[in-house]
Amino acid sequence: MSGGQGAAVRLADLHRSYGGVPALNGLTLDVRPGELVSLLGPSGCGKTTALRILAGLETADSGQVLVGGQNLTSVPASKRDMGMVFQAYSLFPNLTALDNIAFGLRLRKVTPTERRRRAGELLELVGLGQQAAKYPHQMSGGQQQRVALARALAIQPKVLLLDEPLSALDAKVRVQLREEIRRIQTELSITTLFVTHDQEEALAISDRVGVMSQGRLEQLDVPATVYQRPATPFVAEFVGVNNALSGTVADGSVLLGPGRRLPADVVAGLPAGSAVRVLVRPADLRLGAAGTGSLSGTVVTHSFLGPVTRLTVRLAGDELVRVDTASEQAGDYPPSTEVGLSVEPAAAMIAASPPG
Amino acid sequence: MAAVTRPAARRATVAVRWMVLGLAGVFFVLPLYAMLDFSTKGVGGARDLSAWRAIPQDEELRGAIVTSMELAGLTAVLMLVLLVPTLTWVRLRLPRVQRLVEFLCLLPLIIPAIVLVVGIAPLYSWVTYVFGDTPLTLTFVYVVLVLPYAYRALDAGLAGMDLKTLSEAARSLGASWTTVMLRVVLPNLRGAVLSAALLSVALVLGEFTLASLLNFQTLQVAITLTGKRNAALAIAVSLAALVFAFVLLVVLTRLVGRRRDGAETLAPAAPTAVAA
C-alpha cells in the first residue's frame, strides 16, 4: 500500500432536513489532506448525516461537497472513491475475508493475481493474515470491523469514512482497534472523517475534533483545545465530565450561597449580581482538610477509576460535585468525612445563564 | 429429584416426536404406496411396469410434460425477475409502500381460480394475439398465481439480511445498482430464491384449473384426460410428478445446507411441503 492518498474535503453550508426537522443546519467543515477529523456529538446532532452526504448515500437539500477541489455534490456514491466502514457489520456474508477485501478491486477490473496480492497485504496490515479464508460468521465483531476497514482501504480511497465503527465492540477491542485505525491512517496519510459519540475515542485518535450540535459545528480544533478551552457552553458540557454550579456574579467570583464563593476568572467581565452557571472539571477541584479552601462539603461516595478515584462530595448548599484525586490519597477521605475544596480561578470554564 | 425426572421426560418427548413423525409418514407415504401399487398391478396380481413404460411412449403426455416443465421454468424465472428487484427496491427506497406490495402479492390467495379465469380470459385473447396460441402464455397467469408463495419466501429472505448496510457498503466500493443486485443481494438471498423457485415449480406442475379453463394442454390436464382411457398410466405419471417435486425439494435442501456450511445464508429454510 502506498501512502499519501489524502485529499482535502470541504463541506460547504450543508442543509438537510427530514420531514421538516433539520438534521444539518448550514454545516461547513474543512478537512486537510491526510488529516483525521472526528465529528463528535450527541445522537441526532447530524454527524452521521454529514458523513453520509459526503459518501453520497444521502443528498443535501443545499450546499456543496468538495473533495480535492472537485465538486462531488451530485456524483453518485459508486463513483466517489470513498472507503466507508459502517457501524453495523457490513461484510458480505457470502464472501470470505479475502474476497470481501477484493470486492472493490474486482469492480475496478484489477487482475485476480493483483487482487489477491493487495487483499492479502491489507489483511496483514489489519493483523488478520491468517483469517483470509474465513467467512464473516466465523469471525468476531472486532475481526469483522478490521476486515471492513481493509476492504475500505483496498480501493485506495480519496477519503476514509468511519461511521461509529467501534460502537458495537466491547471496551477492550474498541481501544485496540481505535489505536490500529490511527496507526493505519497515519501510515497511509489518508484523509479520514470519523463519526463517534464517544468523546474519549474522538479525543484519543483525532488530529482535530469537531463538536456538533443541532446540525451545526460548535467547535473544530485539536483535542486539547476542545477539552481545555471549549468555545461554547455546549462543548464545555458535552466534552469531559463537568460539575455545573449556579450562582450570582460577585467580585470576580461566583457566589453559590451565603459565605460560599467560587473564584472564577471567566465571570470577570459580567455585571455583579447577574445569574451564571460555571463548569469545573473534577480534576480541577482540590481536596483538603475541613475548613481549607473556598468551599466545604461532605464526601458521599468513592469510585475507583485506576490511577484516580472519583469522589462525590455534597456541598453545604446540597449541590453534588465530583472530585478526582490520586487513588493513593483517596483513602484519606472516606465517606462522611468533612472536606474543604479549592479551585484555581482560571479553572472555571464557561459562564452561561442557568437553565430555566 | 429433578435429575431423575428430567431424562424420563426427555425420553417421553422423544417418543412423542417419533410417534408424530411416524403418523405423518404413514399419512403421506400410504397414498404414494397405493399409487405405486395401482400403477404396477398386472393381471392376476402380478407386478407389471407397462404403465410406467408407456409414459415416454405416450405422445400426448410427453408433450404435456415438456410444456409443464417449460412453464415451470419460465414462471420461476419471470417471477424472480419481477419480484427480487421490486422487493429489494421497496425495502431500500420505498418502505412506506411495503404493506401495499404485500397486499397485492397476497391477493391471488383470496381470489378463486375460477374468478381469476373469468377476469383474465378477455385479456388472454389479446395475449394469444401477440404471443401466438401457445400454452407457454400461461406463464403470465402462473406468475400471478405463485406471487403469494414466492413473495413470502423472498420477503423473509430479505428481512433476514441487513440489506441497507450491505447495499450501501457495495455502492461505496463502486458497485452500480445492477452489481448490487447480482453480486450482493442475489448471492445472499440464495436460499430464499431457491425456495421461491421450488414453490413456483411445484405449483405450476400441479396446476389444473386455469390451464383447463383456458384450454391449454398441460401435465395435469393431460393426466385427467389420460385417466379416462388408462387409469394406471395416469396414476404412474402423477406419482412420477410427485417424486420429481420431492427430488427437487431434497436437492434444494442439500444445496442450502451445503451453503450454510460454508457461509451463513440469511434466507429462510426450504419449504417442507410441496403442492403437486
Side-chain angles (χ1 to χ4, degrees), chain A residues 121-150:
Chain A
E121 229 175 76
L122 280 159
L123 264 179
E124 292 290 345
L125 185 72
V126 296
L128 293 175
Q130 306 301 311
Q131 316 289 326
K134 288 211 171 148
Y135 285 92
H137 76 279
Q138 295 168 324
M139 291 186 278
S140 68
Q143 288 175 330
Q144 286 191 50
Q145 289 303 67
R146 278 190 174 91
V147 175
L149 177 65

PDB file of all heavy atoms in Angstrom, chain A residues 121-150:
ATOM      1  N   GLU A 121      -2.165  -8.304   1.426  1.00  0.00           N
ATOM      2  CA  GLU A 121      -1.355  -7.259   2.059  1.00  0.00           C
ATOM      3  C   GLU A 121      -2.185  -6.491   3.097  1.00  0.00           C
ATOM      4  O   GLU A 121      -1.727  -6.220   4.208  1.00  0.00           O
ATOM      5  CB  GLU A 121      -0.927  -6.292   0.953  1.00  0.00           C
ATOM      6  CG  GLU A 121       0.540  -5.954   0.921  1.00  0.00           C
ATOM      7  CD  GLU A 121       0.837  -5.097  -0.294  1.00  0.00           C
ATOM      8  OE1 GLU A 121       0.516  -3.888  -0.302  1.00  0.00           O
ATOM      9  OE2 GLU A 121       1.382  -5.659  -1.245  1.00  0.00           O
ATOM     10  N   LEU A 122      -3.400  -6.176   2.713  1.00  0.00           N
ATOM     11  CA  LEU A 122      -4.267  -5.412   3.624  1.00  0.00           C
ATOM     12  C   LEU A 122      -4.689  -6.246   4.829  1.00  0.00           C
ATOM     13  O   LEU A 122      -4.822  -5.730   5.935  1.00  0.00           O
ATOM     14  CB  LEU A 122      -5.497  -4.894   2.868  1.00  0.00           C
ATOM     15  CG  LEU A 122      -5.185  -3.636   2.064  1.00  0.00           C
ATOM     16  CD1 LEU A 122      -6.178  -3.429   0.958  1.00  0.00           C
ATOM     17  CD2 LEU A 122      -5.158  -2.423   2.981  1.00  0.00           C
ATOM     18  N   LEU A 123      -4.900  -7.539   4.578  1.00  0.00           N
ATOM     19  CA  LEU A 123      -5.225  -8.409   5.713  1.00  0.00           C
ATOM     20  C   LEU A 123      -4.076  -8.417   6.716  1.00  0.00           C
ATOM     21  O   LEU A 123      -4.298  -8.404   7.921  1.00  0.00           O
ATOM     22  CB  LEU A 123      -5.488  -9.835   5.210  1.00  0.00           C
ATOM     23  CG  LEU A 123      -6.951 -10.208   4.977  1.00  0.00           C
ATOM     24  CD1 LEU A 123      -7.048 -11.630   4.455  1.00  0.00           C
ATOM     25  CD2 LEU A 123      -7.810 -10.070   6.225  1.00  0.00           C
ATOM     26  N   GLU A 124      -2.853  -8.435   6.186  1.00  0.00           N
ATOM     27  CA  GLU A 124      -1.674  -8.380   7.072  1.00  0.00           C
ATOM     28  C   GLU A 124      -1.662  -7.053   7.818  1.00  0.00           C
ATOM     29  O   GLU A 124      -1.386  -6.998   9.013  1.00  0.00           O
ATOM     30  CB  GLU A 124      -0.378  -8.526   6.252  1.00  0.00           C
ATOM     31  CG  GLU A 124      -0.182  -9.890   5.622  1.00  0.00           C
ATOM     32  CD  GLU A 124       0.113 -10.995   6.632  1.00  0.00           C
ATOM     33  OE1 GLU A 124       0.447 -10.665   7.779  1.00  0.00           O
ATOM     34  OE2 GLU A 124      -0.028 -12.179   6.273  1.00  0.00           O
ATOM     35  N   LEU A 125      -1.987  -5.991   7.088  1.00  0.00           N
ATOM     36  CA  LEU A 125      -1.964  -4.651   7.691  1.00  0.00           C
ATOM     37  C   LEU A 125      -2.908  -4.552   8.887  1.00  0.00           C
ATOM     38  O   LEU A 125      -2.612  -3.912   9.883  1.00  0.00           O
ATOM     39  CB  LEU A 125      -2.352  -3.602   6.633  1.00  0.00           C
ATOM     40  CG  LEU A 125      -2.270  -2.137   7.055  1.00  0.00           C
ATOM     41  CD1 LEU A 125      -0.814  -1.691   7.178  1.00  0.00           C
ATOM     42  CD2 LEU A 125      -2.986  -1.244   6.062  1.00  0.00           C
ATOM     43  N   VAL A 126      -4.074  -5.217   8.782  1.00  0.00           N
ATOM     44  CA  VAL A 126      -5.030  -5.152   9.898  1.00  0.00           C
ATOM     45  C   VAL A 126      -4.843  -6.339  10.855  1.00  0.00           C
ATOM     46  O   VAL A 126      -5.679  -6.568  11.737  1.00  0.00           O
ATOM     47  CB  VAL A 126      -6.500  -5.085   9.406  1.00  0.00           C
ATOM     48  CG1 VAL A 126      -6.748  -3.818   8.622  1.00  0.00           C
ATOM     49  CG2 VAL A 126      -6.869  -6.305   8.573  1.00  0.00           C
ATOM     50  N   GLY A 127      -3.748  -7.075  10.662  1.00  0.00           N
ATOM     51  CA  GLY A 127      -3.396  -8.141  11.606  1.00  0.00           C
ATOM     52  C   GLY A 127      -4.234  -9.396  11.492  1.00  0.00           C
ATOM     53  O   GLY A 127      -4.398 -10.135  12.459  1.00  0.00           O
ATOM     54  N   LEU A 128      -4.771  -9.662  10.292  1.00  0.00           N
ATOM     55  CA  LEU A 128      -5.607 -10.854  10.126  1.00  0.00           C
ATOM     56  C   LEU A 128      -5.114 -11.742   8.979  1.00  0.00           C
ATOM     57  O   LEU A 128      -5.917 -12.364   8.284  1.00  0.00           O
ATOM     58  CB  LEU A 128      -7.066 -10.450   9.873  1.00  0.00           C
ATOM     59  CG  LEU A 128      -7.792  -9.771  11.031  1.00  0.00           C
ATOM     60  CD1 LEU A 128      -9.173  -9.324  10.592  1.00  0.00           C
ATOM     61  CD2 LEU A 128      -7.925 -10.710  12.214  1.00  0.00           C
ATOM     62  N   GLY A 129      -3.796 -11.789   8.824  1.00  0.00           N
ATOM     63  CA  GLY A 129      -3.230 -12.560   7.731  1.00  0.00           C
ATOM     64  C   GLY A 129      -3.652 -14.023   7.716  1.00  0.00           C
ATOM     65  O   GLY A 129      -3.758 -14.636   6.663  1.00  0.00           O
ATOM     66  N   GLN A 130      -3.959 -14.569   8.891  1.00  0.00           N
ATOM     67  CA  GLN A 130      -4.319 -15.993   8.979  1.00  0.00           C
ATOM     68  C   GLN A 130      -5.817 -16.229   8.763  1.00  0.00           C
ATOM     69  O   GLN A 130      -6.278 -17.362   8.777  1.00  0.00           O
ATOM     70  CB  GLN A 130      -3.942 -16.553  10.360  1.00  0.00           C
ATOM     71  CG  GLN A 130      -2.478 -16.340  10.751  1.00  0.00           C
ATOM     72  CD  GLN A 130      -1.526 -16.972   9.756  1.00  0.00           C
ATOM     73  OE1 GLN A 130      -1.688 -18.131   9.387  1.00  0.00           O
ATOM     74  NE2 GLN A 130      -0.542 -16.208   9.301  1.00  0.00           N
ATOM     75  N   GLN A 131      -6.581 -15.168   8.603  1.00  0.00           N
ATOM     76  CA  GLN A 131      -8.048 -15.319   8.542  1.00  0.00           C
ATOM     77  C   GLN A 131      -8.605 -15.191   7.122  1.00  0.00           C
ATOM     78  O   GLN A 131      -9.816 -15.064   6.961  1.00  0.00           O
ATOM     79  CB  GLN A 131      -8.733 -14.258   9.427  1.00  0.00           C
ATOM     80  CG  GLN A 131      -8.118 -14.055  10.793  1.00  0.00           C
ATOM     81  CD  GLN A 131      -8.378 -15.231  11.706  1.00  0.00           C
ATOM     82  OE1 GLN A 131      -9.418 -15.865  11.628  1.00  0.00           O
ATOM     83  NE2 GLN A 131      -7.430 -15.535  12.566  1.00  0.00           N
ATOM     84  N   ALA A 132      -7.724 -15.238   6.134  1.00  0.00           N
ATOM     85  CA  ALA A 132      -8.152 -14.951   4.750  1.00  0.00           C
ATOM     86  C   ALA A 132      -9.332 -15.786   4.293  1.00  0.00           C
ATOM     87  O   ALA A 132     -10.231 -15.296   3.616  1.00  0.00           O
ATOM     88  CB  ALA A 132      -6.978 -15.164   3.814  1.00  0.00           C
ATOM     89  N   ALA A 133      -9.373 -17.061   4.671  1.00  0.00           N
ATOM     90  CA  ALA A 133     -10.406 -17.965   4.144  1.00  0.00           C
ATOM     91  C   ALA A 133     -11.659 -17.997   5.009  1.00  0.00           C
ATOM     92  O   ALA A 133     -12.590 -18.742   4.710  1.00  0.00           O
ATOM     93  CB  ALA A 133      -9.821 -19.366   4.022  1.00  0.00           C
ATOM     94  N   LYS A 134     -11.687 -17.189   6.055  1.00  0.00           N
ATOM     95  CA  LYS A 134     -12.847 -17.251   6.951  1.00  0.00           C
ATOM     96  C   LYS A 134     -14.009 -16.406   6.434  1.00  0.00           C
ATOM     97  O   LYS A 134     -13.804 -15.347   5.844  1.00  0.00           O
ATOM     98  CB  LYS A 134     -12.442 -16.767   8.343  1.00  0.00           C
ATOM     99  CG  LYS A 134     -11.558 -17.765   9.062  1.00  0.00           C
ATOM    100  CD  LYS A 134     -11.784 -17.707  10.554  1.00  0.00           C
ATOM    101  CE  LYS A 134     -11.063 -18.853  11.227  1.00  0.00           C
ATOM    102  NZ  LYS A 134     -10.610 -18.494  12.546  1.00  0.00           N
ATOM    103  N   TYR A 135     -15.209 -16.902   6.696  1.00  0.00           N
ATOM    104  CA  TYR A 135     -16.410 -16.161   6.345  1.00  0.00           C
ATOM    105  C   TYR A 135     -16.780 -15.247   7.514  1.00  0.00           C
ATOM    106  O   TYR A 135     -16.384 -15.520   8.661  1.00  0.00           O
ATOM    107  CB  TYR A 135     -17.559 -17.122   6.052  1.00  0.00           C
ATOM    108  CG  TYR A 135     -17.428 -17.799   4.713  1.00  0.00           C
ATOM    109  CD1 TYR A 135     -16.793 -19.015   4.582  1.00  0.00           C
ATOM    110  CD2 TYR A 135     -17.932 -17.190   3.566  1.00  0.00           C
ATOM    111  CE1 TYR A 135     -16.648 -19.635   3.352  1.00  0.00           C
ATOM    112  CE2 TYR A 135     -17.804 -17.795   2.324  1.00  0.00           C
ATOM    113  CZ  TYR A 135     -17.161 -19.015   2.216  1.00  0.00           C
ATOM    114  OH  TYR A 135     -17.023 -19.605   0.987  1.00  0.00           O
ATOM    115  N   PRO A 136     -17.537 -14.179   7.252  1.00  0.00           N
ATOM    116  CA  PRO A 136     -17.862 -13.237   8.330  1.00  0.00           C
ATOM    117  C   PRO A 136     -18.414 -13.902   9.595  1.00  0.00           C
ATOM    118  O   PRO A 136     -18.034 -13.538  10.693  1.00  0.00           O
ATOM    119  CB  PRO A 136     -18.899 -12.315   7.694  1.00  0.00           C
ATOM    120  CG  PRO A 136     -18.538 -12.317   6.255  1.00  0.00           C
ATOM    121  CD  PRO A 136     -18.038 -13.702   5.958  1.00  0.00           C
ATOM    122  N   HIS A 137     -19.289 -14.907   9.427  1.00  0.00           N
ATOM    123  CA  HIS A 137     -19.896 -15.502  10.618  1.00  0.00           C
ATOM    124  C   HIS A 137     -18.903 -16.334  11.423  1.00  0.00           C
ATOM    125  O   HIS A 137     -19.208 -16.753  12.537  1.00  0.00           O
ATOM    126  CB  HIS A 137     -21.132 -16.327  10.240  1.00  0.00           C
ATOM    127  CG  HIS A 137     -20.804 -17.667   9.622  1.00  0.00           C
ATOM    128  ND1 HIS A 137     -20.472 -17.799   8.298  1.00  0.00           N
ATOM    129  CD2 HIS A 137     -20.760 -18.906  10.157  1.00  0.00           C
ATOM    130  CE1 HIS A 137     -20.242 -19.072   8.050  1.00  0.00           C
ATOM    131  NE2 HIS A 137     -20.411 -19.764   9.148  1.00  0.00           N
ATOM    132  N   GLN A 138     -17.721 -16.555  10.841  1.00  0.00           N
ATOM    133  CA  GLN A 138     -16.687 -17.306  11.568  1.00  0.00           C
ATOM    134  C   GLN A 138     -15.716 -16.363  12.287  1.00  0.00           C
ATOM    135  O   GLN A 138     -14.752 -16.816  12.879  1.00  0.00           O
ATOM    136  CB  GLN A 138     -15.910 -18.196  10.594  1.00  0.00           C
ATOM    137  CG  GLN A 138     -16.788 -19.279   9.978  1.00  0.00           C
ATOM    138  CD  GLN A 138     -16.124 -19.994   8.809  1.00  0.00           C
ATOM    139  OE1 GLN A 138     -15.400 -19.378   8.035  1.00  0.00           O
ATOM    140  NE2 GLN A 138     -16.383 -21.282   8.675  1.00  0.00           N
ATOM    141  N   MET A 139     -15.971 -15.057  12.186  1.00  0.00           N
ATOM    142  CA  MET A 139     -15.060 -14.084  12.800  1.00  0.00           C
ATOM    143  C   MET A 139     -15.766 -13.311  13.912  1.00  0.00           C
ATOM    144  O   MET A 139     -16.990 -13.180  13.914  1.00  0.00           O
ATOM    145  CB  MET A 139     -14.582 -13.085  11.732  1.00  0.00           C
ATOM    146  CG  MET A 139     -13.659 -13.702  10.712  1.00  0.00           C
ATOM    147  SD  MET A 139     -12.988 -12.484   9.584  1.00  0.00           S
ATOM    148  CE  MET A 139     -14.301 -12.316   8.430  1.00  0.00           C
ATOM    149  N   SER A 140     -14.964 -12.776  14.842  1.00  0.00           N
ATOM    150  CA  SER A 140     -15.540 -11.963  15.917  1.00  0.00           C
ATOM    151  C   SER A 140     -15.889 -10.582  15.366  1.00  0.00           C
ATOM    152  O   SER A 140     -15.491 -10.225  14.251  1.00  0.00           O
ATOM    153  CB  SER A 140     -14.511 -11.817  17.033  1.00  0.00           C
ATOM    154  OG  SER A 140     -13.435 -11.018  16.575  1.00  0.00           O
ATOM    155  N   GLY A 141     -16.625  -9.811  16.160  1.00  0.00           N
ATOM    156  CA  GLY A 141     -17.020  -8.467  15.737  1.00  0.00           C
ATOM    157  C   GLY A 141     -15.816  -7.600  15.421  1.00  0.00           C
ATOM    158  O   GLY A 141     -15.791  -6.892  14.408  1.00  0.00           O
ATOM    159  N   GLY A 142     -14.797  -7.681  16.279  1.00  0.00           N
ATOM    160  CA  GLY A 142     -13.593  -6.877  16.065  1.00  0.00           C
ATOM    161  C   GLY A 142     -12.884  -7.266  14.779  1.00  0.00           C
ATOM    162  O   GLY A 142     -12.429  -6.409  14.020  1.00  0.00           O
ATOM    163  N   GLN A 143     -12.822  -8.572  14.517  1.00  0.00           N
ATOM    164  CA  GLN A 143     -12.177  -9.044  13.280  1.00  0.00           C
ATOM    165  C   GLN A 143     -12.962  -8.583  12.056  1.00  0.00           C
ATOM    166  O   GLN A 143     -12.388  -8.160  11.056  1.00  0.00           O
ATOM    167  CB  GLN A 143     -12.077 -10.572  13.296  1.00  0.00           C
ATOM    168  CG  GLN A 143     -11.042 -11.088  14.282  1.00  0.00           C
ATOM    169  CD  GLN A 143     -11.042 -12.606  14.362  1.00  0.00           C
ATOM    170  OE1 GLN A 143     -12.063 -13.252  14.171  1.00  0.00           O
ATOM    171  NE2 GLN A 143      -9.891 -13.174  14.676  1.00  0.00           N
ATOM    172  N   GLN A 144     -14.293  -8.647  12.177  1.00  0.00           N
ATOM    173  CA  GLN A 144     -15.126  -8.220  11.046  1.00  0.00           C
ATOM    174  C   GLN A 144     -14.900  -6.739  10.733  1.00  0.00           C
ATOM    175  O   GLN A 144     -14.809  -6.351   9.567  1.00  0.00           O
ATOM    176  CB  GLN A 144     -16.600  -8.455  11.363  1.00  0.00           C
ATOM    177  CG  GLN A 144     -16.989  -9.911  11.308  1.00  0.00           C
ATOM    178  CD  GLN A 144     -18.491 -10.102  11.356  1.00  0.00           C
ATOM    179  OE1 GLN A 144     -19.234  -9.477  10.617  1.00  0.00           O
ATOM    180  NE2 GLN A 144     -18.943 -10.946  12.255  1.00  0.00           N
ATOM    181  N   GLN A 145     -14.789  -5.928  11.773  1.00  0.00           N
ATOM    182  CA  GLN A 145     -14.585  -4.495  11.530  1.00  0.00           C
ATOM    183  C   GLN A 145     -13.185  -4.243  10.972  1.00  0.00           C
ATOM    184  O   GLN A 145     -12.988  -3.315  10.194  1.00  0.00           O
ATOM    185  CB  GLN A 145     -14.825  -3.682  12.803  1.00  0.00           C
ATOM    186  CG  GLN A 145     -16.293  -3.611  13.229  1.00  0.00           C
ATOM    187  CD  GLN A 145     -17.232  -3.039  12.177  1.00  0.00           C
ATOM    188  OE1 GLN A 145     -17.459  -3.641  11.130  1.00  0.00           O
ATOM    189  NE2 GLN A 145     -17.806  -1.877  12.439  1.00  0.00           N
ATOM    190  N   ARG A 146     -12.227  -5.066  11.358  1.00  0.00           N
ATOM    191  CA  ARG A 146     -10.873  -4.932  10.789  1.00  0.00           C
ATOM    192  C   ARG A 146     -10.906  -5.240   9.289  1.00  0.00           C
ATOM    193  O   ARG A 146     -10.312  -4.535   8.488  1.00  0.00           O
ATOM    194  CB  ARG A 146      -9.914  -5.916  11.466  1.00  0.00           C
ATOM    195  CG  ARG A 146      -9.381  -5.434  12.780  1.00  0.00           C
ATOM    196  CD  ARG A 146      -8.265  -6.378  13.224  1.00  0.00           C
ATOM    197  NE  ARG A 146      -7.629  -5.888  14.416  1.00  0.00           N
ATOM    198  CZ  ARG A 146      -8.003  -6.220  15.655  1.00  0.00           C
ATOM    199  NH1 ARG A 146      -8.995  -7.051  15.813  1.00  0.00           N
ATOM    200  NH2 ARG A 146      -7.394  -5.718  16.710  1.00  0.00           N
ATOM    201  N   VAL A 147     -11.637  -6.316   8.952  1.00  0.00           N
ATOM    202  CA  VAL A 147     -11.741  -6.675   7.528  1.00  0.00           C
ATOM    203  C   VAL A 147     -12.484  -5.568   6.770  1.00  0.00           C
ATOM    204  O   VAL A 147     -12.103  -5.198   5.658  1.00  0.00           O
ATOM    205  CB  VAL A 147     -12.460  -8.038   7.353  1.00  0.00           C
ATOM    206  CG1 VAL A 147     -12.675  -8.353   5.878  1.00  0.00           C
ATOM    207  CG2 VAL A 147     -11.662  -9.151   7.999  1.00  0.00           C
ATOM    208  N   ALA A 148     -13.521  -5.019   7.411  1.00  0.00           N
ATOM    209  CA  ALA A 148     -14.276  -3.927   6.771  1.00  0.00           C
ATOM    210  C   ALA A 148     -13.351  -2.736   6.525  1.00  0.00           C
ATOM    211  O   ALA A 148     -13.449  -2.062   5.485  1.00  0.00           O
ATOM    212  CB  ALA A 148     -15.458  -3.530   7.636  1.00  0.00           C
ATOM    213  N   LEU A 149     -12.460  -2.478   7.467  1.00  0.00           N
ATOM    214  CA  LEU A 149     -11.502  -1.378   7.314  1.00  0.00           C
ATOM    215  C   LEU A 149     -10.560  -1.681   6.144  1.00  0.00           C
ATOM    216  O   LEU A 149     -10.311  -0.818   5.294  1.00  0.00           O
ATOM    217  CB  LEU A 149     -10.711  -1.200   8.618  1.00  0.00           C
ATOM    218  CG  LEU A 149      -9.608  -0.146   8.613  1.00  0.00           C
ATOM    219  CD1 LEU A 149     -10.195   1.245   8.436  1.00  0.00           C
ATOM    220  CD2 LEU A 149      -8.801  -0.198   9.911  1.00  0.00           C
ATOM    221  N   ALA A 150     -10.076  -2.926   6.085  1.00  0.00           N
ATOM    222  CA  ALA A 150      -9.177  -3.326   4.988  1.00  0.00           C
ATOM    223  C   ALA A 150      -9.903  -3.217   3.647  1.00  0.00           C
ATOM    224  O   ALA A 150      -9.330  -2.763   2.655  1.00  0.00           O
ATOM    225  CB  ALA A 150      -8.695  -4.755   5.215  1.00  0.00           C
TER     226      ALA A 150
END
